[in-house]
Amino acid sequence: MADPGEDAFEKLVAVLNYPMYVVTTRAGDVAAGCLVGFASQTSIHPPRFLVGLSRKNHTFRVAAEATHLAVHVFDHEHLDIVELFGSQTGDTVNKFDRCSWHSGPAQMPILDDAAAWFVGEILERFTLGDHVGHLLAPVDGRPPSELESWVSFSDVQHLEPGHEA
């Protein structure tokens, strides 16, 4: 029988429609990226952002050697890029061969179709259950040009992930 607290928690988070991010990184010559739902601003002064990466994920293994992460948000017009990064694994597919990107600040792969993005220096890594938190200090980015309708969980909940969470 499920724990009542866990059951209530799972039912609550199942109805939340939080933003989804595509996070990319690079360590040496290896670029990686994945769809991330566990991410949030954590501080205003100084500005900080937390990204949780699954330990089972190819991007997690690359990020373990990286100094920075790039965090992207997408509008619905480019849902195909979000689906690429959410349904394929870098263990078997080079996602960057299937989309337009360029090398940005700290040599991070920046996805050209993103509505907005920032690159953050990884300040700390710490365990968050089955994910590892990466605390970021923003170093550069591109804000949205207008109010957009961002891709959120309800837009991608049908995807079969490239890896289990």
Side-chain angles (χ1 to χ4, degrees):
M1 176 174 248
D3 177 274
E6 285 183 20
D7 185 54
F9 173 77
E10 288 176 10
K11 287 178 179 172
L12 170 70
V13 297
V15 299
L16 298 177
N17 194 28
Y18 42 89
M20 300 299 290
Y21 305 91
V22 175
V23 174
T24 61
T25 192
R26 178 191 316 267
D29 293 335
V30 179
C34 64
L35 185 62
V36 170
F38 299 154
S40 179
Q41 181 179 353
T42 62
S43 174
I44 297 170
H45 301 290
R48 297 291 184 262
F49 195 84
L50 179 67
V51 172
L53 295 176
S54 170
R55 295 175 185 276
K56 296 180 180 178
N57 194 299
H58 176 258
T59 304
F60 166 75
R61 293 189 300 277
V62 175
E65 302 299 322
T67 59
H68 294 75
L69 299 178
V71 179
H72 305 77
V73 293
F74 283 84
D75 58 24
H76 289 98
E77 180 182 345
H78 296 100
L79 187 58
D80 58 323
I81 303 300
V82 175
E83 290 175 342
L84 168 67
F85 280 85
S87 65
Q88 302 294 317
T89 173
D91 289 326
T92 59
V93 172
N94 184 339
K95 300 173 198 179
F96 298 95
D97 285 346
R98 299 178 181 199
C99 65
S100 177
W101 66 279
H102 66 276
S103 187
Q107 303 304 308
M108 291 297 101
I110 303 301
L111 303 174
D112 294 336
D113 291 325
W117 58 268
F118 77 91
V119 170
E121 178 183 6
I122 301 170
L123 300 179
E124 291 183 57
R125 292 176 177 90
F126 42 90
T127 298
L128 299 173
D130 58 5
H131 283 59
V132 171
H134 295 72
L135 184 63
L136 307 179
V139 297
D140 202 350
R142 187 187 78 207
S145 59
E146 59 188 60
L147 183 59
E148 304 274 350
S149 175
W150 307 119
V151 172
S152 61
F153 179 66
S154 64
D155 299 311
V156 298
Q157 67 186 13
H158 67 280
L159 293 179
E160 289 293 327
H163 276 289
E164 293 179 13

